[in-house]
C-alpha cells in the first residue's frame, strides 16, 4: 500500500541552525516524491520534487530508495521558513496522490 | 489567473444537513482531487478524478460523493453531514499525465463546521 510517514509533528530550531524534516514512504514501484509547504495564510504549494533535483529557497531533498526516504534539508534555517511541510507521493502509473501527516517547522529568533 | 477556486470558504451545518462544495480550475488540467485536512492527520484524499468522466475513491470516501461535472469542475457533496466531517477541505488539480511528475495546484480551502 502507498504510505507516507512524517514522524515529527513539530520541529523547532533556532535561526541559522540546520534543518532536517524526515519523510519515509512505502510504495511498490518507482515513486514520485514531493515536498509541499503551507505558509501562514497562504495556499499549499509545491516546494520541490525529486525528479527535478533542484534546490528551492535553500532546501534540498534526496530520494534514498534503499532507505525509502526523502528527507528535506536546509543548512541554515531562516525565520521565514516557519511553515507546515508535507511530504507527498505519487507514481508514474497512478493518479493517486498521497500526503503525509505534515511537520510544523518553527524557526526561533 | 484564478487557478483553483473553491466555494464556499466557510460553512456551518447542523448534523444531518447536506451541502455541496464547489471547485473549478481554469488551467485546463485533466485531474482533480478533494482532500480534507485535520490536525495531526495531515491531508487525506477523499476522492479524485483522473480525467473528465471518471472518479475514484481515495483514503476516506465514506460519507461523501463527488461529481466531475466537466473538465473544469469537480464538486464534493455531503449528503448527511456528521460532526466527524468538521474539517478544512481542499480541492486540487494537476495536468494528470502518467508519464511525468504531476504537480498539484491547490485551492484556498473551505472550512466546514458540523454542529
Amino acid at each position: 500500500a502507498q504510505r507516507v510517514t512524517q514522524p515529527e509533528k513539530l520541529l523547532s530550531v533556532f535561526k541559522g541552525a540546520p534543518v532536517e524534516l524526515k519523510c519515509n514512504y512505502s510504495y511498490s514501484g518507482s515513486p514520485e516524491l514531493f515536498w509541499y509547504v503551507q505558509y501562514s495564510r497562504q495556499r499549499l504549494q509545491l516546494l520541490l520534487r525529486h525528479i527535478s533535483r533542484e534546490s528551492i529557497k535553500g532546501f534540498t531533498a534526496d530520494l534514498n530508495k534503499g532507505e525509502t526516504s526523502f528527507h528535506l534539508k536546509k543548512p541554515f534555517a531562516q525565520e521565514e521558513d516557519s511553515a507546515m511541510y508535507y511530504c507527498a507521493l505519487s507514481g508514474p502509473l497512478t493518479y493517486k496522490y498521497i500526503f503525509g501527516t505534515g511537520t510544523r517547522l518553527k524557526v526561533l529568533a | 489567473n484564478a487557478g483553483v477556486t473553491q466555494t464556499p470558504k466557510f460553512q456551518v451545518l447542523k448534523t444531518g444537513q447536506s451541502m455541496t462544495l464547489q471547485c473549478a480550475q481554469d488551467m485546463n488540467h485533466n485531474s482533480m482531487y478533494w482532500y480534507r485536512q485535520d490536525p495531526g492527520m495531515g491531508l487525506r484524499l477523499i476522492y479524485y478524478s483522473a480525467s473528465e468522466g471518471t472518479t475514484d475513491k481515495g483514503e476516506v470516501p465514506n460519507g461523501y460523493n463527488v461529481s466531475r461535472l466537466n473538465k473544469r469542475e469537480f464538486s464534493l457533496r455531503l449528503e448527511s453531514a456528521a460532526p466527524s466531517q468538521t474539517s478544512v477541505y481542499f480541492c486540487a488539480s494537476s495536468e494528470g499525465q502518467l508519464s511525468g511528475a504531476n504537480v498539484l495546484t491547490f485551492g484556498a480551502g473551505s472550512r466546514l463546521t458540523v454542529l
Side-chain angles (χ1 to χ4, degrees), chain B residues 1 15 23 36 56 71 76 83-85 97 99 104 113:
Chain B
N1 286 344
T15 297
C23 176
R36 58 178 290 173
D56 285 285
K71 191 171 185 179
L76 179 71
S84 61
Q85 294 178 304
Q97 296 183 20
S99 59
L104 293 183
T113 301

Side-chain angles (χ1 to χ4, degrees), chain A residues 9 13 17 19 24 35 38-39 48 67 71 75 77 86 96 103:
Chain A
K9 288 187 177 181
V13 300
V19 173
N24 289 91
W35 278 98
Q38 190 174 28
Y39 300 104
L48 56 79
E67 296 182 358
H71 303 327
Y86 289 98
K96 216 169 183 179
T103 298

Side-chain angles (χ1 to χ4, degrees), chain A residues 2 27 30-32 34 49-51 90-97, chain B residues 30-31 33 48-51 54 56 94-103:
Chain A
Q2 293 174 260
Y27 185 79
S30 298
E32 294 168 1
F34 308 81
R49 48 185 168 168
H50 91 272
I51 198 170
S90 186
L93 298 178
T94 177
Y95 297 103
K96 216 169 183 179
Y97 215 109
Chain B
N30 291 309
S31 299
Y33 304 77
Y48 65 105
S49 170
S51 59
T54 69
D56 285 285
S94 75
E95 289 185 1
Q97 296 183 20
L98 283 175
S99 59
N102 292 281
V103 176

